Amino acid sequence: MIITIDGPSASGKSTVARAVAKELHYFYIASGTIYRGLAYALMHLRGYSQETIAKVQEADVISCLDPARFVYTYDSSNNDRIILQGIDITIHLKSPAVDAGASLIGTNGIVREHILRFIQVLAKHHDIVIDGRDCGSVMFPSADYKFYLDASVLVRAQRWQTMQAKLNKNISLDQAVEITTERDERDSKRAIAPLRVPHGAFVIDSSYL
């Protein structure tokens, strides 16, 4: 069984996906966490910056996603984590720099191809709930159930601002709206796997959930 939950940044898809996975006792895959983990690895192990990461070399992607180095885990406490070279880096993956890096590598076809393979290996032996931006449209177009969560830009910016505050990062609401809007622009207009409502998906407005 495959359940996909797509949507823009801070639409609530991860919260819902975790809850569904926990209720059904399914394996949860946070595709965004994997993209952010790879962005972090490329920046810290291969020296990429926000200016260069969109044109990452395939050899560096393969090296960083090597299962001996890069591990995605999901445990019974409903937590997804990235372990990089034996160190849990999950706490660092919500920073603005890593978030921007993840969005930028998401425009790279080579990156998407290798992450798709990585995720398909994870999904091979599990019933899964997966969230992201193209899970129901590209990764698993034949998924058993597809959902698309959305919310207003203001609501999503407020959620993202709150999340940053929990990381001790002081982001104004105006900044949060600007960052959220820019992310939406990149995700919806990228040439490869743009953010869109998957065919056959149930659309849910999460603004007031």
Side-chain angles (χ1 to χ4, degrees):
M1 177 74 73
I2 297 175
I3 300 172
T4 64
I5 303 178
D6 290 300
S9 176
S11 59
K13 57 188 179 293
S14 296
T15 300
V16 172
R18 283 190 179 91
V20 172
K22 185 175 183 179
E23 180 68 22
L24 297 177
H25 303 289
Y26 281 11
F27 188 82
Y28 168 56
I29 300 176
S31 66
T33 296
I34 296 170
Y35 273 96
R36 285 188 288 271
L38 176 57
Y40 181 95
L42 289 167
M43 290 174 173
H44 288 79
L45 299 183
R46 293 294 180 266
Y48 285 91
S49 67
Q50 288 187 39
E51 289 70 35
T52 61
I53 199 169
K55 296 183 179 180
V56 61
Q57 296 297 306
E58 184 172 16
D60 290 329
V61 175
I62 293 171
S63 175
C64 286
L65 285 178
D66 184 336
R69 175 177 290 117
F70 188 97
V71 178
Y72 174 89
T73 67
Y74 172 68
D75 60 35
S76 58
S77 298
N78 212 29
N79 296 313
D80 56 294
R81 301 186 182 281
I82 297 292
I83 310 300
L84 182 65
Q85 297 189 152
I87 299 172
D88 186 346
I89 62 168
T90 311
I91 194 172
H92 304 294
L93 301 185
K94 291 291 187 178
S95 73
V98 172
D99 205 44
S103 180
L104 289 166
I105 62 174
T107 66
N108 186 305
I110 291 172
V111 170
R112 301 194 73 84
E113 179 182 340
H114 284 284
I115 285 187
L116 175 58
R117 292 176 187 172
F118 183 90
I119 288 174
Q120 287 175 335
V121 170
L122 284 176
K124 192 172 183 180
H125 301 295
H126 299 278
D127 290 317
I128 68 165
V129 179
I130 180 169
D131 71 71
R133 286 169 174 75
D134 65 347
C135 300
S137 58
V138 176
M139 291 187 182
F140 298 102
S142 299
D144 298 277
Y145 296 97
K146 304 178 188 178
F147 298 89
Y148 185 90
L149 267 62
D150 204 352
S152 70
V153 170
L154 179 59
V155 167
R156 292 189 291 114
Q158 289 171 330
R159 291 172 180 170
W160 189 80
Q161 181 190 33
T162 299
M163 182 170 56
Q164 294 303 308
K166 291 179 180 178
L167 298 173
N168 296 317
K169 298 184 184 297
N170 186 21
I171 306 290
S172 71
L173 182 56
D174 285 344
Q175 287 175 307
V177 168
E178 181 180 358
I179 290 169
T180 301
T181 302
E182 289 176 352
R183 181 68 186 267
D184 288 351
E185 184 86 359
R186 284 198 302 269
D187 290 344
S188 62
K189 293 188 176 181
R190 65 192 181 203
I192 301 171
L195 175 67
R196 66 176 187 269
V197 179
H199 177 71
F202 296 95
V203 179
I204 300 172
D205 186 341
S206 70
S207 297
Y208 303 103
L209 295 181

